[in-house]
Amino acid sequence: MKYFILIVLTSITVSSYSQQVDSLKLAMQDELARSIKELDHKEYGAPFYIAYDVNDYTNTIVSASFGGLINSNQFKQRNINARVLVGDYEFNDESFSADNVEPHYSADDMLLPVDNDYHGIRRSLWSVTDKIFKTAGEVFVAHKQDLKDKKKKISEVPHLKFGKQEAVKITTKSDRITIEKSELESQILSISREFLKYPEISVSSVVLNLYEGKNYFINTEGTDVYEEQTIVTLVMSCAYQNEEGEYFYDQKKYLSKSPKQLFTDTDFSSEVKEMSELVLTLKDAPVFEDSYEGPVIFMESAVPALFSSIIPQFVPKPLEEEDNFYGYSASTSLERKIGKQEFSKSLSLTLKPSLTEYKDMQLLGSYSIDNEGVKPDDEIVLVKKGVVNDLMVSRNYTGKEFQPNGTSSSQGVLHIEIDNTVEGTDDLQQLMLKKINDEDLTYGLIITKFFNDQFFHVKKVLPNGETEYYRNARLMDFDKKSLRKIVAASQEETVTNETNLNSYIAPKAVLIDDVEIEPARIPKPKKKPALVESPLHSIN
């Protein structure tokens, strides 16, 4: 049975990095070996599979607003994902859903120490394993009873198998560059002070999250993985509030494997200037009041946002319509569409999990093994020239034509390719203008940034090529059917790394026809702006 348990305990001792690796890994190996050898129960037998996945990391969070430090915190965590299966690879406790069995565990029972106490770690792993084993065993007994009541054999009913895998050995170490929290504070404060140049801005925020982690994965099949990773995320936001209380907002995200590289490579003064000027432009933008259906150009970060919304449909359908294990109904899965033309013939979607760079740009979504211990193929072609070709299959699968392919953790790196291209975004806009004239439309639209279907930046493009920002527009029911109407894309590609560590290689701009945009009905804000102007006006 698969459970994800977040364990947090403040460290009271500090040991060397090598001691941490030795103590934690040794405890995991020893308790795994003991558990698979000794765990047994008269009613449901012994487990056939156990896995420990431990994420040992330090988080540093620094935030500031208008040059003032809001938060500065550093803490250590260890997250454990323990999996214990009862039965066998063909029929086990995960073969069906099991909402009617009360778990034997709670998060408070399963604290994993963050110091290097070998015996303390062993005890925590023992407790986690024992409680999950008992829960898995009771679930398996319930499954067997259900089959008995229905007078069915397991071979006669649809069920999930657990895919057996060859052992994988991976060790990946990174070059870790130490940076003090005080230096991070200094950098974030310096960036945040740039907003002081724009006193009309009502709200500003600069937040940095530095993750320095080590991941350990071992299982009873012999897989043994140790990986190090450093990820720094910086998010800048700002907003203007008008007299009616409505906010106009922009945000920028930056991800890197090194904080020093991030600060060196990015001109944050220019970035703050661009954000602030855009927000102050949006405050004067007219309200979008039309019901529009026609060509729309999606730009830069708006492009991967569109495709990310359909990725969950590449997970195999649940066994039953009411089974919501994957978070959606069976009818949304593309499993029944394999081999069928569901998208534009010019569109191909390929997962490239192991790709770390593309044209000298980092891909932070790359990974060597998923959280089930499966090494993914270098390329997994989900869509080829509009035809659904493959799915993202976990180790829980139905045993039909699909096999586990190492995509249980996430999509990782998605390469979006469109065959019909023009040289640049200006050429794409000219193509849209032609469609406007051919269809007797009064304007076209460009979505320059996409936050969600009711919050994005949009421009009207008039037949003479002039553009103007509008506000309060809503994107209507965009789904895979909309992606059948891709007209063209720019030849230039961009790399987008999202904070959920998915990466996208995508055209810089994509033109799609017959997109529906409606006015957004935004409730009248209750919070009114300040009665007197900001004191920041006096310092500029």
Side-chain angles (χ1 to χ4, degrees):
M1 183 163 285
K2 179 166 55 175
Y3 297 99
F4 296 89
I5 306 152
L6 180 65
I7 289 99
V8 181
L9 190 65
T10 303
S11 176
I12 57 174
T13 64
V14 178
S15 300
S16 73
Y17 179 68
S18 61
Q19 287 176 320
Q20 291 181 19
V21 172
D22 292 341
S23 299
L24 177 55
K25 187 169 185 177
L26 183 60
M28 292 171 65
Q29 291 172 331
D30 290 349
E31 194 56 38
L32 184 79
R34 186 174 78 114
S35 295
I36 197 66
K37 180 180 179 181
E38 298 182 9
L39 269 180
D40 202 355
H41 191 278
K42 62 181 180 180
E43 188 176 4
Y44 38 81
F48 75 93
Y49 176 86
I50 303 175
Y52 294 147
D53 185 4
V54 175
N55 191 14
D56 181 18
Y57 63 96
T58 300
N59 253 16
T60 304
I61 300 174
V62 179
S63 63
S65 179
F66 292 113
L69 191 65
I70 301 299
N71 179 40
S72 180
N73 191 22
Q74 188 174 75
F75 55 92
K76 184 175 176 61
Q77 291 185 336
R78 273 182 181 154
N79 302 347
I80 178 170
N81 168 18
R83 193 173 195 175
V84 183
L85 298 182
V86 175
D88 55 37
Y89 285 94
E90 176 66 31
F91 176 36
N92 56 71
D93 56 284
E94 294 186 0
S95 292
F96 307 105
S97 60
D99 298 330
N100 57 340
V101 176
E102 187 72 23
H104 282 266
Y105 61 90
S106 69
D108 290 339
D109 293 327
M110 305 176 191
L111 296 176
L112 188 64
V114 295
D115 61 1
N116 299 314
D117 177 6
Y118 168 84
H119 295 290
I121 296 170
R122 281 285 301 268
R123 188 217 167 273
S124 296
L125 292 170
W126 159 77
S127 177
V128 169
T129 309
D130 178 81
K131 294 176 189 298
I132 294 180
F133 169 60
K134 287 184 289 190
T135 304
E138 292 178 10
V139 170
F140 186 56
V141 169
H143 289 342
K144 291 195 294 184
Q145 185 62 47
D146 187 49
L147 286 177
K148 183 177 180 180
D149 292 344
K150 294 177 179 178
K151 298 181 179 180
K152 296 282 188 180
K153 296 179 181 179
I154 187 64
S155 59
E156 297 174 333
V157 296
H159 66 283
L160 295 175
K161 302 178 182 181
F162 186 70
K164 194 169 186 177
Q165 297 293 308
E166 296 293 329
V168 177
K169 309 283 186 180
I170 296 175
T171 298
T172 304
K173 295 187 178 182
S174 62
D175 296 327
R176 313 184 80 179
I177 302 175
T178 303
I179 183 167
E180 297 296 329
K181 185 158 69 75
S182 58
E183 184 178 346
L184 295 175
E185 292 171 352
S186 176
Q187 293 282 1
I188 295 307
L189 285 171
S190 176
I191 296 170
S192 182
R193 290 189 192 102
E194 293 293 324
F195 285 102
L196 294 173
K197 300 175 182 178
Y198 308 93
E200 287 184 86
I201 295 296
S202 307
V203 179
S204 79
S205 172
V206 182
V207 181
L208 178 138
N209 188 317
L210 174 60
Y211 167 96
E212 299 170 287
K214 304 179 288 291
N215 181 255
Y216 306 77
F217 183 97
I218 61 172
N219 65 21
T220 49
E221 294 173 330
T223 288
D224 189 338
V225 177
Y226 172 75
E227 296 181 304
E228 298 175 0
Q229 187 178 47
T230 298
I231 299 290
V232 58
T233 304
L234 191 149
V235 180
M236 295 198 311
S237 309
C238 68
Y240 170 86
Q241 187 181 25
N242 66 13
E243 294 180 357
E244 288 74 37
E246 184 179 355
Y247 280 97
F248 304 89
Y249 173 83
D250 194 24
Q251 183 183 84
K252 288 179 178 284
K253 302 175 186 178
Y254 311 85
L255 284 85
S256 178
K257 293 183 179 180
S258 162
K260 291 186 177 181
Q261 181 181 351
L262 177 66
F263 296 134
T264 301
D265 292 350
T266 310
D267 182 356
F268 285 105
S269 178
S270 297
E271 296 289 278
V272 169
K273 181 176 186 293
E274 181 181 301
M275 285 179 64
S276 301
E277 291 180 350
L278 174 59
V279 165
L280 296 177
T281 297
L282 292 173
K283 76 180 178 66
D284 297 320
V287 174
F288 189 84
E289 297 179 331
D290 302 332
S291 292
Y292 177 85
E293 182 175 354
V296 174
I297 294 176
F298 293 85
M299 293 283 296
E300 300 188 11
S301 64
V303 177
L306 290 180
F307 290 90
S308 66
S309 65
I310 67 162
I311 290 301
Q313 298 180 35
F314 288 94
V315 176
K317 66 180 180 64
L319 288 177
E320 300 173 355
E321 192 73 38
E322 64 271 15
D323 185 350
N324 200 36
F325 180 78
Y326 294 111
Y328 60 92
S329 68
S331 61
T332 64
S333 174
L334 288 165
E335 181 175 346
R336 295 190 181 99
K337 305 296 184 180
I338 294 292
K340 296 181 180 179
Q341 186 88 39
E342 289 293 306
F343 303 94
S344 166
K345 292 181 179 180
S346 68
L347 176 65
S348 295
L349 302 176
T350 306
L351 299 180
K352 300 181 177 180
S354 60
L355 192 62
T356 59
E357 288 188 352
Y358 185 76
K359 297 181 179 179
D360 297 326
M361 293 179 283
Q362 292 181 339
L363 296 166
L364 302 187
S366 64
Y367 62 92
S368 58
I369 192 168
D370 74 359
N371 61 7
E372 294 187 312
V374 181
K375 184 176 174 58
D377 295 335
D378 289 338
E379 292 192 357
I380 301 166
V381 182
L382 300 178
V383 176
K384 185 173 183 179
K385 297 190 181 300
V387 176
V388 180
N389 182 74
D390 207 345
L391 300 177
M392 299 166 62
V393 187
S394 73
R395 293 187 72 169
N396 291 117
Y397 72 109
T398 57
K400 297 177 183 177
E401 63 269 34
F402 301 106
Q403 297 291 321
N405 55 14
T407 54
S408 176
S409 303
S410 69
Q411 68 189 48
V413 178
L414 176 64
H415 195 172
I416 303 163
E417 297 174 279
I418 296 172
D419 292 339
N420 297 337
T421 61
V422 294
E423 185 172 349
T425 54
D426 289 342
D427 300 298
L428 204 62
Q429 186 168 320
Q430 290 300 316
L431 187 57
M432 183 173 70
L433 291 175
K434 183 179 185 304
K435 290 188 71 65
I436 290 172
N437 292 324
D438 292 344
E439 298 172 20
D440 293 326
L441 298 172
T442 55
Y443 60 87
L445 294 175
I446 298 177
I447 294 179
T448 58
K449 186 171 289 189
F450 192 91
F451 301 100
N452 58 55
D453 61 0
Q454 294 195 62
F455 188 30
F456 51 85
H457 297 163
V458 62
K459 289 180 179 179
K460 279 188 178 181
V461 183
L462 302 179
N464 62 5
E466 293 182 1
T467 63
E468 183 180 17
Y469 274 106
Y470 275 72
R471 58 189 172 97
N472 300 352
R474 179 185 177 192
L475 181 64
M476 301 297 293
D477 299 328
F478 194 96
D479 58 15
K480 63 178 184 290
K481 293 180 181 179
S482 304
L483 295 178
R484 295 174 183 169
K485 301 176 181 179
I486 296 173
V487 178
S490 62
Q491 292 176 5
E492 182 181 355
E493 293 179 306
T494 60
V495 166
T496 302
N497 292 305
E498 293 291 350
T499 52
N500 61 3
L501 293 189
N502 285 327
S503 296
Y504 299 85
I505 307 166
K508 185 176 181 179
V510 177
L511 173 61
I512 301 178
D513 207 0
D514 298 332
V515 179
E516 294 183 52
I517 307 287
E518 295 282 345
R521 307 303 178 189
I522 299 175
K524 189 174 181 180
K526 294 182 179 180
K527 294 182 179 180
K528 299 299 181 182
L531 297 176
V532 296
E533 71 176 14
S534 166
L536 298 183
H537 284 273
S538 63
I539 65 173
N540 285 278

